[in-house]
Amino acid sequence: MDVRPSGIHHVTAIASDPQANADFYLNALGMRMVKRTVNFDAPETYHFYYGDRAGNPGTIMTFFPWPDAPKGRLGAGQATTTTFSVPEGSLGWWADHLSALNVPITRPSERGEEDVLSLRDPDGLVIELAASADFHDTDPWDGGVVPTEHAIRGIRAVTLTEQDAEGTARMLGDQLGFRLHSEDGNRMRFRTNDTGDGVGTIVDVLADPGAERGLVAAGTVHHVAYRAPDTPVQDSWRRRLEQDGVGVTEIRDRTYFTSIYFREPGGVLLEIATDGPGFDYDEPLLELGRSLKLPPWLQPDQEQIAANLPRVEVRQ
């Protein structure tokens, strides 16, 4: 069975203030909140999912917003940058839009094959917007503040910063089925395919032997999830990782997908998530993200859980 990845499923990060987080991703980046739920392992905090109209795999950025979370530290053993894809010719519009919102940006600059605009979210998470002509089979959200012709198409890439990149590169190539696409100085670019089609097909590995180890807290990525089309492929991937001596979890039910977790040699937490059932599993497509949704085992306590969560106004 083919266990090569078909791209990124989602990226999950840590935030602090849930309202500031929602305001930024809805109003600055123009994404849709496709699910408002809680951390299934710690239901005292929210779990927000942002994406395209339907929350298609490859478009999803998620957050655990802990109001009292300490500030994290970017460094080695982390996914240090999340890059979103926007249409070619859109970076000028994005620079004007973000400047009008007083979001500090680094003006578009060339990096290899793409033009990139860099910024940070309210917690300091590093975000890039990359102008790309690659084909993305997604459904950009047209109900927000960003015109469809400029809207985010999905996650283009993540960058992993490593003190020793050799083990990470070996796992990506030998165990996870990525292909080394290019090398530029201390940056290695891996792809899930040779065409560039699809969202989330790129992972960059940045070798920085002198980098301090990162600290996962507010403003940093918690984990990166890659896609499996269904549970049989996911289970095949799990068994292969086990055979290779990689410590991998059992399959866990996340309601909207199932997951397995493991760490690559540099320490970055990775996940394999299934494409389905999807975010319309427990609410209609038109109503995604409007109300708090809990998994069946937490629903008996929904009233108490909701009462203990901070009030958040979602305008979309």
Side-chain angles (χ1 to χ4, degrees), residues 182-252:
S182 61
E183 295 186 63
D184 182 10
N186 63 340
R187 182 183 296 268
M188 292 182 285
R189 170 155 290 187
F190 292 82
R191 282 187 177 271
T192 61
N193 58 49
D194 296 322
T195 66
D197 290 345
V199 288
T201 60
I202 298 170
V203 56
D204 285 343
V205 178
L206 193 63
D208 188 354
E212 186 178 8
R213 292 291 298 179
L215 173 66
V216 175
T220 65
V221 169
H222 184 268
H223 65 267
V224 178
Y226 285 93
R227 298 173 59 183
D230 51 39
T231 303
V233 172
Q234 181 185 60
D235 187 55
S236 178
W237 206 330
R238 180 181 180 278
R239 286 185 280 108
R240 177 173 292 187
L241 288 167
E242 276 192 325
Q243 290 168 3
D244 288 343
V246 177
V248 58
T249 68
E250 73 283 358
I251 294 176
R252 297 178 180 174

Side-chain angles (χ1 to χ4, degrees), residues 83-127:
T83 304
F84 291 100
S85 182
V86 298
E88 281 191 309
S90 292
L91 291 187
W93 183 92
W94 276 101
D96 292 342
H97 168 68
L98 293 167
S99 295
L101 296 175
N102 296 315
V103 176
I105 58 172
T106 300
R107 289 282 173 170
S109 59
E110 290 187 7
R111 188 181 63 211
E113 60 194 54
E114 58 202 3
D115 293 333
V116 175
L117 183 72
S118 298
L119 59 139
R120 289 178 181 250
D121 80 357
D123 288 294
L125 188 74
V126 180
I127 299 291

Side-chain angles (χ1 to χ4, degrees), residues 23-265:
D23 289 344
F24 181 83
Y25 285 90
L26 298 177
N27 301 324
L29 293 192
M31 303 176 79
R32 184 183 191 187
M33 184 178 282
V34 296
K35 191 62 59 179
R36 191 188 327 190
T37 183
V38 296
N39 183 327
F40 289 1
D41 301 315
E44 64 273 15
T45 189
Y46 283 112
H47 193 175
F48 292 159
Y49 290 78
Y50 306 99
D52 69 355
R53 176 186 297 274
N56 285 302
T59 71
I60 307 162
M61 187 82 192
T62 99
F63 287 88
F64 301 132
W66 297 87
D68 298 321
K71 187 170 180 59
R73 181 179 63 244
L74 292 176
Q78 285 185 339
T80 49
T81 304
T82 303
T83 304
F84 291 100
S85 182
V86 298
E88 281 191 309
S90 292
L91 291 187
W93 183 92
W94 276 101
D96 292 342
H97 168 68
L98 293 167
S99 295
L101 296 175
N102 296 315
V103 176
I105 58 172
T106 300
R107 289 282 173 170
S109 59
E110 290 187 7
R111 188 181 63 211
E113 60 194 54
E114 58 202 3
D115 293 333
V116 175
L117 183 72
S118 298
L119 59 139
R120 289 178 181 250
D121 80 357
D123 288 294
L125 188 74
V126 180
I127 299 291
E128 291 180 340
L129 302 177
S132 171
D134 291 350
F135 173 73
H136 299 325
D137 186 18
T138 59
D139 188 10
W141 176 229
D142 61 0
V145 298
V146 178
T148 307
E149 63 267 26
H150 299 304
I152 287 172
R153 269 34 185 179
I155 297 174
R156 176 171 173 79
V158 293
T159 299
L160 311 183
T161 297
E162 307 285 4
Q163 292 174 337
D164 180 359
E166 290 187 8
T168 301
R170 190 160 47 249
M171 172 177 270
L172 290 173
D174 296 345
Q175 294 174 298
L176 300 183
F178 288 80
R179 298 178 176 89
L180 180 62
H181 176 72
S182 61
E183 295 186 63
D184 182 10
N186 63 340
R187 182 183 296 268
M188 292 182 285
R189 170 155 290 187
F190 292 82
R191 282 187 177 271
T192 61
N193 58 49
D194 296 322
T195 66
D197 290 345
V199 288
T201 60
I202 298 170
V203 56
D204 285 343
V205 178
L206 193 63
D208 188 354
E212 186 178 8
R213 292 291 298 179
L215 173 66
V216 175
T220 65
V221 169
H222 184 268
H223 65 267
V224 178
Y226 285 93
R227 298 173 59 183
D230 51 39
T231 303
V233 172
Q234 181 185 60
D235 187 55
S236 178
W237 206 330
R238 180 181 180 278
R239 286 185 280 108
R240 177 173 292 187
L241 288 167
E242 276 192 325
Q243 290 168 3
D244 288 343
V246 177
V248 58
T249 68
E250 73 283 358
I251 294 176
R252 297 178 180 174
D253 182 4
R254 300 309 192 194
T255 301
Y256 314 107
F257 46 87
T258 61
S259 302
I260 59 173
Y261 301 87
F262 59 98
R263 292 189 184 273
E264 54 83 28

